[in-house]
Amino acid sequence: MLEAFKSFSTVVVTWLSILLTVWFAYYTFRYQSTTSVKKEQLYKVYLPMFTLMEPFLYKETKDVGIHQLNNLLSKLNKICESHYELVDPRIISYIRKINRSIRHSDYDEVEVNKMYKRLCSKIDYGFESTRKRLGLPVRNVYYKLDENQYEDKLDLAHYLFLITWKGLIFILLMLFLTNWIINIA
């Protein structure tokens, strides 16, 4: 009985180590192969887009102004045309939709504003995620709150939660510890 268990455990350990080795090799290869693409995306697409958009990130389109919005879209479009294969297709789509909408004098400002904020969100996410993947520093929650760089109230609540969750856990731990000490005494 003991010999059968030893034999079985040896087989399990052998197969487990083979699977872990294959998984580790695959993950390492995949990570190495995408790192060069992510670096290229960051420096050719997302960094130029983000530096162009940051002063206007998540602002209302009426605050940006139609002339400035046209200028931004034109520059973003040039970046997309130069490095089409590296750009998230949704960014290209939002640029085209906003361009089509503001060509008409009677465009729906609410709809354009909604598409503009989604465009900002996609550029922001692309910039932050590629920087994070490459191990570069990312903007923290405090920075985003200070600069009003959030899409809507839900994002604001999410950022506030990220700030406060550690404090809440600390308070809960203190309450449980206090309760435990009181119950012991």
Side-chain angles (χ1 to χ4, degrees):
M1 181 74 170
L2 187 58
E3 283 298 317
F5 180 72
K6 282 183 182 179
S7 174
F8 177 73
S9 63
T10 304
V11 170
V12 169
V13 168
T14 303
W15 279 104
L16 188 60
S17 56
I18 290 170
L19 288 174
L20 285 174
T21 303
V22 168
W23 177 81
F24 184 73
Y26 170 76
Y27 182 76
T28 303
F29 175 74
R30 180 168 160 71
Y31 183 76
Q32 291 297 329
S33 66
T34 59
T35 300
S36 61
V37 173
K38 290 293 183 188
K39 192 176 279 189
E40 194 175 5
Q41 276 184 319
L42 178 64
Y43 292 113
K44 290 184 178 179
V45 175
Y46 294 118
L47 183 60
M49 283 184 172
F50 186 80
T51 53
L52 180 68
M53 291 290 291
E54 189 178 21
F56 310 102
L57 208 57
Y58 300 114
K59 304 282 188 256
E60 297 289 324
T61 51
K62 64 181 178 191
D63 296 335
V64 174
I66 195 74
H67 177 70
Q68 184 65 40
L69 185 59
N70 275 323
N71 188 24
L72 288 171
L73 292 173
S74 173
K75 290 177 181 177
L76 290 173
N77 208 25
K78 285 179 186 174
I79 294 169
C80 289
E81 288 172 0
S82 298
H83 307 289
Y84 189 84
E85 71 282 3
L86 299 173
V87 181
D88 181 343
R90 293 172 292 185
I91 291 175
I92 297 167
S93 175
Y94 283 121
I95 291 170
R96 288 178 181 165
K97 286 178 183 177
I98 295 169
N99 267 327
R100 277 193 301 260
S101 293
I102 61 177
R103 279 193 201 129
H104 307 293
S105 58
D106 61 338
Y107 67 89
D108 182 6
E109 192 170 330
V110 172
E111 188 62 30
V112 170
N113 197 47
K114 183 177 169 185
M115 286 187 288
Y116 175 73
K117 287 195 175 188
R118 293 304 305 151
L119 173 65
C120 290
S121 176
K122 295 300 173 199
I123 292 172
D124 184 14
Y125 177 78
F127 177 71
E128 290 294 333
S129 65
T130 52
R131 286 175 59 104
K132 187 175 185 176
R133 179 73 185 257
L134 293 170
L136 299 171
V138 294
R139 297 169 302 141
N140 64 17
V141 174
Y142 297 108
Y143 180 87
K144 289 181 178 188
L145 289 174
D146 285 345
E147 299 296 322
N148 293 322
Q149 293 182 350
Y150 47 87
E151 186 174 356
D152 54 21
K153 301 291 183 193
L154 186 62
D155 268 357
L156 175 62
H158 176 250
Y159 292 141
L160 290 173
F161 172 76
L162 288 177
I163 290 173
T164 59
W165 75 269
K166 292 175 186 171
L168 289 173
I169 288 176
F170 177 75
I171 290 169
L172 287 173
L173 283 174
M174 289 297 110
L175 286 172
F176 286 129
L177 183 63
T178 306
N179 190 26
W180 181 69
I181 290 171
I182 290 171
N183 287 334
I184 289 177

